[in-house]
Each structure stands twice: as structure tokens, then as C-alpha cells.
Amino acid sequence: QVQLVESGGGLVQAGGSLRLSCAASGGTFSMYAMGWFRQAPGKEREFVAGISRSGSNTNCADSVKGRFTISRDNAKNTVYLQMNSLKFEDTAVYYCNAVNGRNQGVFNAWGQGTLVTVSS
């Protein structure tokens, strides 16, 4: 079972940037398409961005298009989320997981997530 550890969250002003990291261990990272998800207070977890196994293809939610970029380094077993032009509504706990063709998380065991707080 792959274990995932997210990091890089914090408090940032609106318009600012953050880079999240997700380190994977315990499996063959390059076998999985990966994605970032987020859960805001009182809301369900939602898909944010995904990346193919090789990193050659990415997709993202309309709400973050043009602002967030997902990337991965298979040599480091790590997936990243570069977040620019952050908005108050981006405040959430961010998680990574492997993703399927429907942008759903694959692993039942989610990491602890990393909290992003955007002040307006």
C-alpha cells in the first residue's frame, strides 16, 4: 500500500503563492496517475488537478484553471501543486491520492493533508 505525506501548506494572503508537495512511499509511484484534492470546511472533498503516470498529461478543475499547476518527479516519488493567484475560496485541506479515469481517489487510506489558509 502506498503511503502519502502532504506538505507545504500555510497561511498566505490573497494573490499569493504556495507550492505543495506529496511524497509517496511503499509502492511503485510511477505506476499511478496522481491527483490533488481539497476539502473546505463544511464541504465535500473535491478534485483539484491530476497528472498522468509519465507527467505528460494534466487536467484540472475549472475553478483553478490558469492558476494551479500540477507536476511530478518520479525519481523523487513526489507530486507537486504550484498554486498562484490564491483566492480566499482556495482555503482548504489539500490531499493527494492516486486517481482513476473519473478523477476519483484510488487509495482508501488518505494522508493527513496539508492546510492552506488564504486571508482576504
Side-chain angles (χ1 to χ4, degrees), residues 44-114:
E44 293 191 353
R45 187 154 43 202
E46 64 176 358
F47 170 80
V48 174
I51 189 166
S52 62
R53 289 177 293 178
S54 68
S56 59
N57 293 301
T58 63
N59 66 313
C60 64
D62 288 342
S63 59
V64 306
K65 197 163 293 184
R67 300 188 298 121
F68 290 11
T69 303
I70 187 172
S71 62
R72 68 189 295 163
D73 186 337
N74 285 344
K76 295 182 178 179
N77 290 352
T78 303
V79 60
Y80 304 97
L81 186 68
Q82 178 67 44
M83 306 186 296
N84 298 328
S85 301
L86 281 161
K87 302 177 180 179
F88 176 75
E89 51 264 39
D90 294 320
T91 295
V93 179
Y94 284 72
Y95 304 87
C96 67
N97 201 333
V99 294
N100 60 20
R102 291 172 291 178
N103 293 330
Q104 298 169 325
V106 169
F107 301 135
N108 290 328
W110 294 76
Q112 83 288 349
T114 187

Side-chain angles (χ1 to χ4, degrees), residues 15-29:
S17 299
L18 281 175
R19 188 194 195 202
L20 307 184
S21 299
C22 169
S25 62
T28 306
F29 178 72

